[in-house]
Amino acid sequence: MYSTPFSPSEARSARARMGLTTAQVAHSMAVCGAPVHPGLVAAWEQGTHVPSEQQLFSLADVLWCDVTTLMGLEPRTLAEHRLARRISVERLAYRLGMDQGEYRAAESAQEWHGDSRQTRALVDALGLSLRQLIGIMGRAEELGEHLRSAIDGRWKSHVEPVAGIVSVDMTGVEDALRTMHTEFTAFSERYMGHLVARNDDARLKEVAAERAAYLRRLVDRFWELIGDVGEAPPRTW
């Protein structure tokens, strides 16, 4: 069952820095529209209870700290990135034009199947890039495998699966894979040209080194061609 990430020790430290009692924290939260009993604040700090998402947001306001401080971690999952931005599921789903249940399921399963418009809206809301989103979803390695197969074989067969992973228009993916296939093929043509011409080993090693460097930057090259969304500044919803 999903539980809001929360660090009791960080909450205690944040309250101590503000010089507040649990009663004062509870009073301030009530003023912010999130009434709680002082005993519940103490229970959070003792680790016997966990605040709801809205209580977490309100507590961060009262203690003048980032949500991530109270979470006690750097965001790794889709849900954690959403919490770090202080966005509720309801508001984010509305922004994406997606059913709340569908979005909750995406967070729970760590699987994203939104269309290109929804994906762009998601990375904008969470201050991520498409590349970061794919990493969060755990699909970066899968993308790399498709790219390696595409440049060294029938690239057209990889257009649809790659487009499905990055959630962008297939035309853009097709153009990128075609370009990368052409670039990679050029290494083989140059190598064979030097081989037929019986050039020295130094020229052959040079081409081989360039080919290896290209493979190391394969994913980087893909994002250079496909374009990406840079990080957006934090926003308050």
Side-chain angles (χ1 to χ4, degrees), residues 15 23 28 41 45 50 61 89 113 119 123 136 180 197 204 214 221 223-224:
R15 180 172 63 80
S28 296
V41 177
E45 294 185 1
V50 176
D61 287 336
V89 166
H113 301 293
T119 301
V123 297
I136 292 168
M180 294 171 69
L204 296 176
Y214 187 88
R221 179 56 175 156
W223 287 114
E224 289 172 358

Side-chain angles (χ1 to χ4, degrees), residues 187-228:
F187 290 117
S188 297
E189 293 176 347
R190 287 177 57 199
Y191 189 88
M192 290 305 298
H194 288 309
L195 194 62
V196 171
R198 296 185 178 181
N199 290 323
D200 56 36
D201 288 345
R203 298 295 295 275
L204 296 176
K205 289 179 179 178
E206 179 184 337
V207 176
E210 291 177 3
R211 179 182 183 275
Y214 187 88
L215 287 173
R216 287 193 297 272
R217 292 196 68 256
L218 190 62
V219 176
D220 292 334
R221 179 56 175 156
F222 173 75
W223 287 114
E224 289 172 358
L225 292 169
I226 206 69
D228 203 355

Side-chain angles (χ1 to χ4, degrees), residues 72-136:
L73 50 77
E74 287 299 316
R76 298 158 299 178
T77 67
L78 195 58
E80 290 168 359
H81 277 280
R82 175 178 59 77
L83 290 174
R85 292 276 165 162
R86 303 188 182 207
I87 308 173
S88 68
V89 166
E90 293 76 18
R91 289 188 176 184
L92 185 53
Y94 177 80
R95 175 67 179 271
L96 302 181
M98 180 178 285
D99 177 76
Q100 292 181 25
E102 184 180 358
Y103 179 78
R104 285 186 186 278
E107 279 197 358
S108 177
Q110 273 291 100
E111 294 181 358
W112 178 249
H113 301 293
D115 59 28
S116 58
R117 184 197 64 77
Q118 292 170 327
T119 301
R120 293 283 173 170
L122 178 65
V123 297
D124 175 65
L126 299 185
L128 300 171
S129 66
L130 285 173
R131 185 170 186 174
Q132 289 172 320
L133 178 62
I134 291 168
I136 292 168

Side-chain angles (χ1 to χ4, degrees), residues 130-189:
L130 285 173
R131 185 170 186 174
Q132 289 172 320
L133 178 62
I134 291 168
I136 292 168
M137 294 295 100
R139 306 194 71 183
E141 184 175 344
E142 181 184 0
L143 173 62
E145 291 175 354
H146 276 294
L147 295 180
R148 285 187 288 273
S149 296
I151 64 170
D152 201 26
R154 297 179 180 276
W155 63 267
K156 290 185 177 180
S157 64
H158 294 277
V159 172
E160 186 172 351
V162 169
I165 293 173
V166 300
S167 298
V168 298
D169 183 77
M170 287 181 62
T171 301
V173 173
E174 183 175 354
D175 290 342
L177 294 190
R178 180 190 297 111
T179 297
M180 294 171 69
H181 183 271
T182 300
E183 291 172 343
F184 191 71
T185 299
F187 290 117
S188 297
E189 293 176 347

